[in-house]
Amino acid sequence: MGFFTGEVTALPPDKSISHRAALIGALSAGVTEITNFSAGFDNQSTLGVLRAAGIAVDQGEIIGSYGRPVRKVVIRSGGLWSFTAPEKQLMCDNSGSTMRMFAGILAAQPFESELVGDSSLMKRPMKRIAEPLRMMGAGIELSPSGTAPVRIRGTRDLKPIEYSLPVPSAQVKSLVAFAALHADGETRIIEPIRSRDHTELMLGLETIDRPDGGRVIVIPGRKTIAAKPFYIPADPSAACFLVALGLLGTNSEIIIRDVCLNPTRVEFISVLSGAGADITIENGRIIGGEYIGDILVRSTPDMKPLVISDKVVVAGVIDELPMLSVLSAFVSGEFELHNAEELRTKESDRIDAVVVNLERLGFECEQYPDGFRVIRRRSRPTGTVTVECFDDHRIAMSFAVAARASGESIELSDSAVVGVSFPNFFEIIDSLEA
Ligand code: S3P
C-alpha cells in the first residue's frame, strides 16, 4: 500500500482557462500577457493553431510563486478580425476544446479553413458545433458521420441568434459566444444545465439565472475587447487525481496549493465529501475573477461507494468521472452511474474504457447506454495487468493513481498520454510517495 504525503505547488495550470486565455487574447485588441500558462499538449495545440492563423504568440519562462519557473505567454492582436487564412489544415491533435472553440472564431473570419485532429479527435461528435454556426450564417461541412475534418467557410456577416444548448457543453457555449462577439447584434445562449463558466467570467458577460437552475448568457456583438492580463490557477481536474491518491493511500495527507475552486469545477469535492471523504478547503480567495484556494486531503479508507445519477451533478463532474469511478471501485468494490451518455463522447468512450480496464483488474461490471455499475471485486490479479489507455489522458491517470495507492502492479499501454493535461503527473506522484 502506498503512503503519500507532502505539499504540491506545481500542479498544471488549468486547461480550460489556459485555452480561453489564449483565444480571448487573440480576439482582444492589444497585448495579452498570460502568466502560468499550461505546458500540456492540448494547450500547446491551441497556441499552434493561433500561430497558423496569423496571430503573434510568444512563449517563455519567468520565476513565479514558490520560486519555480512558470510559463508566460504573450499574444499580440488587432482584435476580432485579425486572423489570416491558414496555408494548410489546422492540426488540433488530441484537443476537442481547441477544435470546437476555435471553430467559433474561424466561422466569423472571411476565409476558408479546415480543422483536423489525431485519431481520437477525428472520431468525436462535431454536429453540435455545426448547428449553431450554420444558424449564424457560416458554411460548415463535416464528414458523413458528423465528425472532423471540420471545413469552415467563414463570413464577416454572422447573424446574432438565440440558442438553447441541446447538451450541457461549455465548449459549445464558448464557441457560440466567440462567434457571437463578431455578430451584428446581441446573441443569447440558454443553458438549461450549467457548465463551467470561465468564458463568461473572462469576457465579463452578463448572465441571467433562470428559476430552473439554468442560465442565459448575453453576448453583445461587435464590441472591441481590450487586452487584459490573465493569471491561470492550478487545474482542479488535475487536483482530483491527487485527491484520489490521498484518499486511497495509507495514512496519507496531501495539500495542493492555489487550485481553481470555481463552483462549476469542484462538484467532485462535494460528491466525495458526501461519501465521507476527509477533504478541507483552506486560504480561499479571488484572483482575476476566479475563486482559488488550497485543497487538503487525508486518507479515508472507510469511504462509502459513489452513486451518481443527477444530471446536474453529472455535468459538474464530467471530467472527473473516470477517477471517481475507479476510486469508488478500489475503496468499496462498488460504483453506480446514470445519465452520463456524454461520457462516451470524450477523448475515448470513457464508460467502455473504464469498464474494460476494471474487468481486467478483476471487477464485475455492467454497462448500459448512459452509464455503468461496478458490482463487486471478483478476484485480484496475480501478475501485472496492462491498462489500455485508448488515447485518453484521464483513463491513464485514473488507473495509475489506483495502482500506486493500492500497490497493485499495472502497466499503461501509453504512459506519455498523460502529457495532454498533466506533463509532470508521475514526477509529482513520485515526490509525494514516502
Ligand atoms: C471543457 C468542457 C467539457 C470538458 C472538457 C473541457 C471546456 O467538454 O469535458 O474537458 O474547457 O470547455 P464539453 O463541453 O464537451 O462538455
Side-chain angles (χ1 to χ4, degrees), residues 14-17 19-20 42 96-97 100-101 124 128 167-174 195-196 198-199 237 265 315 318-320 342 345-347 350 393-394:
D14 188 63
K15 181 161 85 70
S16 292
I17 305 179
H19 282 304
R20 288 160 172 79
D42 268 15
S97 301
R100 294 190 177 130
M101 295 200 277
R124 297 181 66 185
R128 57 183 65 190
V167 280
S169 165
Q171 291 175 359
V172 177
K173 172 173 64 175
S174 301
S195 60
R196 64 195 71 194
H198 307 299
T199 301
S237 302
R265 298 291 302 282
I318 195 73
D319 286 344
E320 289 69 57
E342 266 298 288
T345 70
K346 298 295 175 185
E347 285 83 332
R350 286 183 173 158
H393 53 136
R394 300 201 199 279

Side-chain angles (χ1 to χ4, degrees), residues 66 81 102 127 149 166 189 191 240 260 262 329-330 369 432:
Y66 311 101
W81 280 284
F102 198 38
K127 278 189 191 144
I189 303 173
E191 182 179 46
C240 178
C260 171
N262 177 316
F330 269 76
L432 290 169

Side-chain angles (χ1 to χ4, degrees), residues 18-27 46 50 97 101-102 105 178:
S18 291
H19 282 304
R20 288 160 172 79
L23 295 169
I24 293 172
L27 291 167
T46 287
L50 286 177
S97 301
M101 295 200 277
F102 198 38
I105 297 176
F178 290 150

Side-chain angles (χ1 to χ4, degrees), residues 134-191:
R134 284 178 186 146
M135 282 168 70
M136 296 177 92
I140 309 288
E141 265 178 61
L142 306 174
S143 79
S145 53
T147 56
V150 181
R151 294 199 182 89
I152 302 177
R153 203 172 357 89
T155 170
R156 268 191 87 121
D157 298 317
L158 283 187
K159 295 189 284 288
I161 54 170
E162 182 166 303
Y163 191 63
S164 182
L165 292 171
V167 280
S169 165
Q171 291 175 359
V172 177
K173 172 173 64 175
S174 301
L175 80 94
V176 176
F178 290 150
L181 291 170
H182 303 78
D184 187 12
E186 183 184 282
T187 289
R188 286 181 170 238
I189 303 173
I190 299 147
E191 182 179 46

